[in-house]
Amino acid sequence: MDTPTSHHTGLALAQAALETILVGKTECVRLALCCALAGGHLLLEDVPGVGKTTLAYGLHAVLGLTFTRLQFTADLLPADVIGVSIFDPEARGFSFHKGPVFTELLLADEINRATPKTQSALLEALAEGQVTVDGVPHRLPQPFFVVATQNPHQQIGTFALPESQMDRFLMRLTLGYPDRAAERQILAGGDRQAMARQQPALLTGTDLLALRARVRAVRCSEALLDYIQDLLAASRAWPDWGSGFSPRAGLALRDAARAYAVLEGRDYVLPEDAQAVAVAVLAHRLPTADAEREVRRLLEAVPVP
């Protein structure tokens, strides 16, 4: 019988397995799992070859989710993502053929190499867990988790994601280069993506839904909610920012902090949980240069209750 204890054990095993696959990136692995638990979607932004796709394969493996990898390119059409209605002459009507978005974990690889029109095909899926074709809504499988990767904007052939779409991702992570010891382990070892594909499942989709229910039940004290509101208010008065964080950003910070508390084995949120996830949750919502540094400055400026 599944219990909170067994789920927590499965989470610990899943994290350990992911750390074996993605060497030297303990905090990135932890935040990626946190994003999955919170019911949000994950954006991985970095140069090619540092493990973005490998992390997505690893998450699919340890969480035991059905998986589709969709390579975004300039000639990809919205119908290639969500599906299309095709006329059936025998039935004398249209039937909907589901696209690759109908899966539990979708890897939207190099999402910013597709045109804005194709990128926007994911907006409804990210926000509402459904797609609408010819006026008919189609619910997506649950759990539904999008892991999107994107290359730096200065690279040739990329289209910047608009703010409205960036805002639909709960977290953005930058993996960065491994340190020397981790890189030596990578160079001396085998194919990390092959290792991810061979990794047995440690949880199931049903387990993930149960964990998400636990996350929603985690207690947030009045003091913690005051702290989140203080961060939002301070951001709106912060010098040189075009705009501050929206209530949706506050909800995202609350949900991610709850998920981080579950990873820590607690049923209540501490300010340290909100601080641990704040950069990943908030920085991509800022239209400013060096947004991660700016969020850290904000955290230093707002007193902790």
Side-chain angles (χ1 to χ4, degrees):
M1 179 179 178
D2 290 336
T3 65
T5 301
S6 66
H7 286 150
H8 190 70
T9 301
L11 273 177
L13 292 172
Q15 181 174 336
L18 282 171
E19 289 173 8
T20 302
I21 294 167
L22 197 70
V23 181
K25 298 297 176 184
T26 298
E27 192 57 26
C28 288
V29 164
R30 193 169 184 77
L31 288 171
L33 281 175
C34 178
C35 188
L37 293 185
H41 305 292
L42 178 63
L43 180 63
L44 301 174
E45 181 179 290
D46 218 319
V47 296
V50 294
K52 302 187 300 296
T53 303
T54 300
L55 176 56
Y57 275 115
L59 287 166
H60 143 63
V62 300
L63 295 175
L65 303 178
T66 59
F67 176 78
T68 301
R69 175 182 179 177
L70 181 60
Q71 184 67 47
F72 278 64
T73 57
D75 59 351
L76 194 73
L77 300 175
D80 298 327
V81 179
I82 62 176
V84 64
S85 292
I86 297 177
F87 184 73
D88 184 346
E90 293 185 2
R92 296 186 179 182
F94 287 89
S95 61
F96 177 60
H97 290 243
K98 294 179 179 179
V101 74
F102 285 84
T103 186
E104 292 177 337
L105 195 159
L106 174 69
L107 169 56
D109 216 2
E110 296 186 305
I111 188 173
N112 61 332
R113 292 203 180 278
T115 62
K117 183 176 182 179
T118 300
Q119 291 176 14
S120 67
L122 271 180
L123 268 174
E124 186 182 11
L126 291 168
E128 300 179 34
Q130 69 175 30
V131 297
T132 301
V133 179
D134 296 331
V136 179
H138 301 270
R139 296 297 300 174
L140 297 171
Q142 291 299 320
F144 177 63
F145 181 30
V146 174
V147 178
T149 72
Q150 70 169 350
N151 297 323
H153 298 311
Q154 65 267 25
Q155 291 196 348
I156 296 172
T158 60
F159 301 86
L161 269 65
E163 288 85 352
S164 59
Q165 186 149 346
M166 294 285 284
D167 198 42
R168 294 309 194 276
F169 287 98
L170 181 71
M171 290 186 180
R172 180 186 65 179
L173 297 179
T174 301
L175 299 183
Y177 294 114
D179 60 30
R180 189 173 180 87
E183 191 166 46
R184 175 58 65 90
Q185 190 174 342
I186 293 169
L187 292 171
D191 185 329
R192 295 286 152 178
Q193 282 193 24
M195 185 183 298
R197 293 188 185 98
Q198 295 163 8
Q199 169 64 45
L202 298 168
L203 293 165
T204 66
T206 302
D207 292 331
L208 182 56
L209 290 175
L211 284 163
R212 288 180 175 179
R214 278 184 60 195
V215 167
R216 291 192 295 271
V218 168
R219 299 193 305 275
C220 289
S221 67
E222 292 297 319
L224 189 282
L225 295 178
D226 283 341
Y227 179 54
I228 292 177
Q229 282 196 286
D230 289 345
L231 288 170
L232 298 179
S235 77
R236 294 162 191 166
W238 202 255
D240 303 324
W241 288 8
S243 59
F245 296 122
S246 68
R248 182 188 291 154
L251 290 170
L253 184 59
R254 181 204 64 184
D255 293 345
R258 281 174 163 167
Y260 202 86
V262 168
L263 283 173
E264 292 289 325
R266 285 185 274 101
D267 62 357
Y268 57 91
V269 181
L270 296 174
E272 289 81 356
D273 300 321
Q275 291 175 326
V277 300
V279 173
V281 171
L282 299 177
H284 65 289
R285 304 171 198 271
L286 278 182
T288 60
D290 205 358
E292 292 186 1
R293 181 177 63 84
E294 290 294 302
V295 172
R296 292 189 180 96
R297 286 180 57 212
L298 181 69
L299 292 172
E300 291 172 358
V302 176
V304 178

